[in-house]
């Protein structure tokens, strides 16, 4: 099964992607996570990507396309994969359709007014990468939060600052939103209502495949 998860930043793609990948035993490919790993390792790509990501800009298509093409050729993708955060531009989508087929693109729809609030509440574990909404956590004594899986102190992503969030939403509207029409025109699109609890959204996604 080869899937794409679409939706605005803060729609809950990462959380849903983990659940879907686990349920169908397919590889979860998050281009954002791959780029953050490059940044952490201070590779030349990581250094270039960091300034773009921190400003809420997209990393150039040719870099991302090469990264994904290489990644989906790896053995853990033989049973299928779920792309989370890719494609983000029409050029990426066209290239993807050229080098592999896709079974379905699932779009998690969330109203604009919910997104900024969701992103201000997002925290991520710098160790195991699990993402949380603070609503589901008890704060520590210092007002911070700790990962339930590995006990590491959670952090807010640099690109979740309110001024960057607004720019990311503009980039989404201009460059990524047109992908919904792109996949709809190819009869590959399914939409789910993302303005619900994570469990309800997961159930609606699983229903699509049953
Ligand atoms: P994400 O974790 O998916 O929200 O991605 C974080 C940031 O990484 C994005 O705001 C972009 O700067 C960059 N990025 C991730 N995926 C892509 C992509 N497919 N094309 C271009 N830039 C990307």
């Amino acid at each position: 099964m080869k899937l794409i998860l679409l939706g605005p930043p803060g729609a809950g793609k990462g959380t849903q992607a983990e659940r879907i990948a686990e349920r169908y035993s397919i590889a979860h490919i998050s281009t954002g996570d791959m780029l953050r790993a490059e940044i952490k390792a201070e590779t030349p790509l990581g250094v270039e990507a960091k300034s773009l990501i921190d400003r809420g800009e997209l990393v150039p298509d040719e870099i991302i396309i090469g990264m994904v093409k290489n990644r989906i050729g790896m053995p853990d993708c033989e049973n299928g994969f779920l792309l989370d955060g890719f494609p983000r531009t029409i050029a990426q989508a066209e290239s993807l359709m050229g080098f592999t087929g896709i079974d379905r693109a699932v779009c998690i729809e969330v109203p604009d007014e919910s997104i900024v609030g969701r992103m201000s509440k997002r925290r991520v574990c710098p160790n195991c990468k699990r993402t949380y909404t603070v609503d589901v956590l008890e704060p520590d004594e210092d007002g911070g939060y700790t990962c339930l899986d590995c006990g590491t102190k959670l952090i807010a992503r640099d690109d979740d600052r309110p001024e960057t969030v607004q720019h990311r939403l503009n980039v989404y509207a201009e460059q990524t939103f047109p992908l919904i029409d792109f996949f709809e025109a190819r009869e590959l699109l399914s939409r789910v209502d993302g303005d619900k609890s994570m469990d309800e959204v997961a159930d609606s996604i699983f229903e699509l495949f049953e």
Side-chain angles (χ1 to χ4, degrees):
M1 187 152 59
K2 297 176 180 177
L3 303 176
I4 296 174
L5 209 49
L6 295 174
K13 294 190 294 295
T15 306
Q16 299 301 341
E18 273 169 29
R19 296 181 183 203
I20 299 166
E22 194 184 330
R23 180 153 174 145
Y24 299 111
S25 302
I26 54 178
H28 171 196
I29 302 177
S30 157
T31 43
D33 282 351
M34 290 168 80
L35 292 167
R36 283 182 287 275
E38 298 280 343
I39 293 173
K40 200 170 173 193
E42 297 179 1
T43 64
L45 166 59
V47 172
E48 184 184 344
K50 183 169 171 30
S51 67
L52 292 167
I53 292 177
D54 284 352
R55 282 184 278 128
E57 301 288 350
L58 295 184
V59 172
D61 286 335
E62 56 279 13
I63 293 179
I64 293 284
I65 290 168
M67 234 173 64
V68 172
K69 202 170 177 180
N70 182 41
R71 179 68 186 84
I72 65 175
M74 291 184 179
D76 67 327
C77 294
E78 270 170 20
N79 192 32
F81 53 79
L82 172 70
L83 293 168
D84 158 17
F86 180 93
R88 259 181 159 96
T89 63
I90 294 285
Q92 291 178 15
E94 281 174 343
S95 173
L96 175 72
M97 300 304 275
F99 61 75
T100 183
I102 283 295
D103 297 311
R104 193 126 294 272
V106 178
C107 178
I108 304 179
E109 297 183 308
V110 181
D112 278 356
E113 53 276 19
S114 303
I115 293 173
V116 178
R118 279 172 176 237
M119 290 167 91
S120 66
K121 291 182 187 171
R122 174 156 69 182
R123 297 292 182 279
V124 55
C125 174
N127 179 41
C128 73
K129 308 284 176 267
R130 184 167 169 190
T131 302
Y132 296 87
T133 300
V134 295
D135 295 343
V136 304
L137 298 168
E138 284 295 322
D140 302 333
E141 279 179 6
D142 62 2
Y145 300 91
T146 298
C147 179
L148 300 176
D149 282 345
C150 71
T152 306
K153 204 82 179 160
L154 302 182
I155 56 171
R157 275 170 46 170
D158 284 344
D159 58 346
D160 279 346
R161 288 187 305 262
E163 61 278 19
T164 313
V165 167
Q166 193 47 57
H167 186 60
R168 289 171 65 199
L169 290 175
N170 295 344
V171 169
Y172 174 80
E174 281 163 24
Q175 305 211 48
T176 310
F177 187 74
L179 294 180
I180 294 175
D181 281 350
F182 179 96
F183 288 108
E184 194 151 59
R186 286 158 183 77
E187 296 182 0
L188 290 171
L189 188 81
S190 298
R191 301 166 189 265
V192 295
D193 180 359
D195 206 20
K196 293 183 176 167
S197 75
M198 289 296 171
D199 287 342
E200 287 171 315
V201 178
D203 286 344
S204 331
I205 295 175
F206 297 149
E207 273 170 23
L208 296 174
F209 302 115
E210 268 147 32

